[in-house]
PDB file of all heavy atoms in Angstrom:
ATOM      1  N   GLY X  66      28.918  23.929  -3.183  1.00  0.00           N
ATOM      2  CA  GLY X  66      27.700  23.169  -3.597  1.00  0.00           C
ATOM      3  C   GLY X  66      27.753  22.694  -5.050  1.00  0.00           C
ATOM      4  O   GLY X  66      27.338  21.612  -5.385  1.00  0.00           O
ATOM      5  N   ALA X  67      28.326  23.549  -5.904  1.00  0.00           N
ATOM      6  CA  ALA X  67      28.420  23.245  -7.304  1.00  0.00           C
ATOM      7  C   ALA X  67      29.380  21.958  -7.498  1.00  0.00           C
ATOM      8  O   ALA X  67      29.164  21.068  -8.306  1.00  0.00           O
ATOM      9  CB  ALA X  67      29.023  24.395  -8.106  1.00  0.00           C
ATOM     10  N   ALA X  68      30.395  21.905  -6.709  1.00  0.00           N
ATOM     11  CA  ALA X  68      31.407  20.737  -6.752  1.00  0.00           C
ATOM     12  C   ALA X  68      30.636  19.478  -6.344  1.00  0.00           C
ATOM     13  O   ALA X  68      30.774  18.413  -6.976  1.00  0.00           O
ATOM     14  CB  ALA X  68      32.596  20.999  -5.891  1.00  0.00           C
ATOM     15  N   ILE X  69      29.882  19.570  -5.255  1.00  0.00           N
ATOM     16  CA  ILE X  69      29.141  18.469  -4.720  1.00  0.00           C
ATOM     17  C   ILE X  69      28.089  17.941  -5.780  1.00  0.00           C
ATOM     18  O   ILE X  69      28.007  16.802  -6.115  1.00  0.00           O
ATOM     19  CB  ILE X  69      28.466  18.775  -3.378  1.00  0.00           C
ATOM     20  CG1 ILE X  69      29.495  18.988  -2.326  1.00  0.00           C
ATOM     21  CG2 ILE X  69      27.507  17.662  -3.010  1.00  0.00           C
ATOM     22  CD1 ILE X  69      28.936  19.509  -1.010  1.00  0.00           C
ATOM     23  N   VAL X  70      27.395  18.968  -6.364  1.00  0.00           N
ATOM     24  CA  VAL X  70      26.409  18.543  -7.363  1.00  0.00           C
ATOM     25  C   VAL X  70      26.992  17.876  -8.511  1.00  0.00           C
ATOM     26  O   VAL X  70      26.510  16.854  -9.040  1.00  0.00           O
ATOM     27  CB  VAL X  70      25.583  19.816  -7.817  1.00  0.00           C
ATOM     28  CG1 VAL X  70      24.759  19.544  -9.052  1.00  0.00           C
ATOM     29  CG2 VAL X  70      24.758  20.381  -6.701  1.00  0.00           C
ATOM     30  N   ALA X  71      28.136  18.404  -8.980  1.00  0.00           N
ATOM     31  CA  ALA X  71      28.790  17.825 -10.156  1.00  0.00           C
ATOM     32  C   ALA X  71      29.282  16.360  -9.928  1.00  0.00           C
ATOM     33  O   ALA X  71      29.091  15.459 -10.732  1.00  0.00           O
ATOM     34  CB  ALA X  71      30.017  18.711 -10.559  1.00  0.00           C
ATOM     35  N   ARG X  72      29.813  16.153  -8.647  1.00  0.00           N
ATOM     36  CA  ARG X  72      30.288  14.766  -8.288  1.00  0.00           C
ATOM     37  C   ARG X  72      29.089  13.856  -8.279  1.00  0.00           C
ATOM     38  O   ARG X  72      29.221  12.684  -8.855  1.00  0.00           O
ATOM     39  CB  ARG X  72      31.044  14.771  -7.002  1.00  0.00           C
ATOM     40  CG  ARG X  72      32.510  15.312  -7.107  1.00  0.00           C
ATOM     41  CD  ARG X  72      33.212  14.891  -5.810  1.00  0.00           C
ATOM     42  NE  ARG X  72      32.686  15.563  -4.595  1.00  0.00           N
ATOM     43  CZ  ARG X  72      33.072  16.768  -4.191  1.00  0.00           C
ATOM     44  NH1 ARG X  72      33.990  17.400  -4.897  1.00  0.00           N
ATOM     45  NH2 ARG X  72      32.573  17.280  -3.127  1.00  0.00           N
ATOM     46  N   ASN X  73      28.031  14.183  -7.630  1.00  0.00           N
ATOM     47  CA  ASN X  73      26.820  13.361  -7.520  1.00  0.00           C
ATOM     48  C   ASN X  73      26.160  13.102  -8.893  1.00  0.00           C
ATOM     49  O   ASN X  73      25.716  12.027  -9.124  1.00  0.00           O
ATOM     50  CB  ASN X  73      25.876  13.909  -6.484  1.00  0.00           C
ATOM     51  CG  ASN X  73      26.403  13.787  -5.109  1.00  0.00           C
ATOM     52  OD1 ASN X  73      27.129  12.822  -4.721  1.00  0.00           O
ATOM     53  ND2 ASN X  73      26.007  14.691  -4.262  1.00  0.00           N
ATOM     54  N   ALA X  74      26.104  14.195  -9.711  1.00  0.00           N
ATOM     55  CA  ALA X  74      25.514  14.036 -10.942  1.00  0.00           C
ATOM     56  C   ALA X  74      26.322  13.078 -11.897  1.00  0.00           C
ATOM     57  O   ALA X  74      25.708  12.201 -12.568  1.00  0.00           O
ATOM     58  CB  ALA X  74      25.497  15.376 -11.685  1.00  0.00           C
ATOM     59  N   ALA X  75      27.639  13.118 -11.733  1.00  0.00           N
ATOM     60  CA  ALA X  75      28.453  12.163 -12.474  1.00  0.00           C
ATOM     61  C   ALA X  75      28.174  10.714 -12.088  1.00  0.00           C
ATOM     62  O   ALA X  75      28.106   9.829 -12.954  1.00  0.00           O
ATOM     63  CB  ALA X  75      29.946  12.476 -12.305  1.00  0.00           C
ATOM     64  N   THR X  76      28.057  10.542 -10.803  1.00  0.00           N
ATOM     65  CA  THR X  76      27.693   9.160 -10.288  1.00  0.00           C
ATOM     66  C   THR X  76      26.407   8.705 -10.832  1.00  0.00           C
ATOM     67  O   THR X  76      26.299   7.539 -11.289  1.00  0.00           O
ATOM     68  CB  THR X  76      27.681   9.149  -8.778  1.00  0.00           C
ATOM     69  OG1 THR X  76      29.029   9.538  -8.276  1.00  0.00           O
ATOM     70  CG2 THR X  76      27.372   7.776  -8.221  1.00  0.00           C
ATOM     71  N   HIS X  77      25.383   9.559 -10.798  1.00  0.00           N
ATOM     72  CA  HIS X  77      24.025   9.093 -11.333  1.00  0.00           C
ATOM     73  C   HIS X  77      24.094   8.839 -12.789  1.00  0.00           C
ATOM     74  O   HIS X  77      23.479   7.848 -13.300  1.00  0.00           O
ATOM     75  CB  HIS X  77      23.002  10.291 -11.081  1.00  0.00           C
ATOM     76  CG  HIS X  77      22.781  10.540  -9.629  1.00  0.00           C
ATOM     77  ND1 HIS X  77      22.655   9.479  -8.672  1.00  0.00           N
ATOM     78  CD2 HIS X  77      22.606  11.684  -8.917  1.00  0.00           C
ATOM     79  CE1 HIS X  77      22.423  10.116  -7.472  1.00  0.00           C
ATOM     80  NE2 HIS X  77      22.367  11.382  -7.640  1.00  0.00           N
ATOM     81  N   ILE X  78      24.836   9.629 -13.562  1.00  0.00           N
ATOM     82  CA  ILE X  78      24.964   9.373 -15.031  1.00  0.00           C
ATOM     83  C   ILE X  78      25.616   8.064 -15.289  1.00  0.00           C
ATOM     84  O   ILE X  78      25.237   7.303 -16.244  1.00  0.00           O
ATOM     85  CB  ILE X  78      25.651  10.561 -15.670  1.00  0.00           C
ATOM     86  CG1 ILE X  78      24.785  11.860 -15.602  1.00  0.00           C
ATOM     87  CG2 ILE X  78      26.051  10.224 -17.179  1.00  0.00           C
ATOM     88  CD1 ILE X  78      25.583  13.108 -15.947  1.00  0.00           C
ATOM     89  N   GLU X  79      26.626   7.698 -14.553  1.00  0.00           N
ATOM     90  CA  GLU X  79      27.388   6.476 -14.772  1.00  0.00           C
ATOM     91  C   GLU X  79      26.603   5.276 -14.185  1.00  0.00           C
ATOM     92  O   GLU X  79      26.851   4.106 -14.714  1.00  0.00           O
ATOM     93  CB  GLU X  79      28.751   6.522 -13.999  1.00  0.00           C
ATOM     94  CG  GLU X  79      29.668   7.535 -14.614  1.00  0.00           C
ATOM     95  CD  GLU X  79      30.959   7.709 -13.822  1.00  0.00           C
ATOM     96  OE1 GLU X  79      30.913   7.321 -12.644  1.00  0.00           O
ATOM     97  OE2 GLU X  79      31.983   8.169 -14.374  1.00  0.00           O
ATOM     98  N   THR X  80      25.701   5.431 -13.300  1.00  0.00           N
ATOM     99  CA  THR X  80      24.958   4.277 -12.707  1.00  0.00           C
ATOM    100  C   THR X  80      23.517   4.241 -13.121  1.00  0.00           C
ATOM    101  O   THR X  80      23.123   3.592 -14.077  1.00  0.00           O
ATOM    102  CB  THR X  80      25.104   4.342 -11.208  1.00  0.00           C
ATOM    103  OG1 THR X  80      24.690   5.549 -10.648  1.00  0.00           O
ATOM    104  CG2 THR X  80      26.559   4.142 -10.833  1.00  0.00           C
ATOM    105  N   GLU X  81      22.659   4.921 -12.384  1.00  0.00           N
ATOM    106  CA  GLU X  81      21.183   4.872 -12.646  1.00  0.00           C
ATOM    107  C   GLU X  81      20.808   5.237 -14.071  1.00  0.00           C
ATOM    108  O   GLU X  81      19.812   4.685 -14.627  1.00  0.00           O
ATOM    109  CB  GLU X  81      20.358   5.752 -11.662  1.00  0.00           C
ATOM    110  CG  GLU X  81      20.499   5.293 -10.193  1.00  0.00           C
ATOM    111  CD  GLU X  81      21.584   5.990  -9.432  1.00  0.00           C
ATOM    112  OE1 GLU X  81      22.564   6.441 -10.086  1.00  0.00           O
ATOM    113  OE2 GLU X  81      21.548   6.029  -8.184  1.00  0.00           O
ATOM    114  N   LEU X  82      21.524   6.175 -14.661  1.00  0.00           N
ATOM    115  CA  LEU X  82      21.177   6.633 -15.982  1.00  0.00           C
ATOM    116  C   LEU X  82      22.081   6.022 -17.107  1.00  0.00           C
ATOM    117  O   LEU X  82      21.969   6.461 -18.250  1.00  0.00           O
ATOM    118  CB  LEU X  82      21.258   8.195 -16.105  1.00  0.00           C
ATOM    119  CG  LEU X  82      20.473   8.920 -15.029  1.00  0.00           C
ATOM    120  CD1 LEU X  82      20.542  10.469 -15.158  1.00  0.00           C
ATOM    121  CD2 LEU X  82      19.034   8.557 -15.022  1.00  0.00           C
TER     122      LEU X  82
END
Side-chain angles (χ1 to χ4, degrees):
I69 291 172
V70 168
R72 282 196 296 270
N73 289 329
T76 298
H77 294 319
I78 291 166
E79 291 172 340
T80 55
E81 292 95 339
L82 306 182

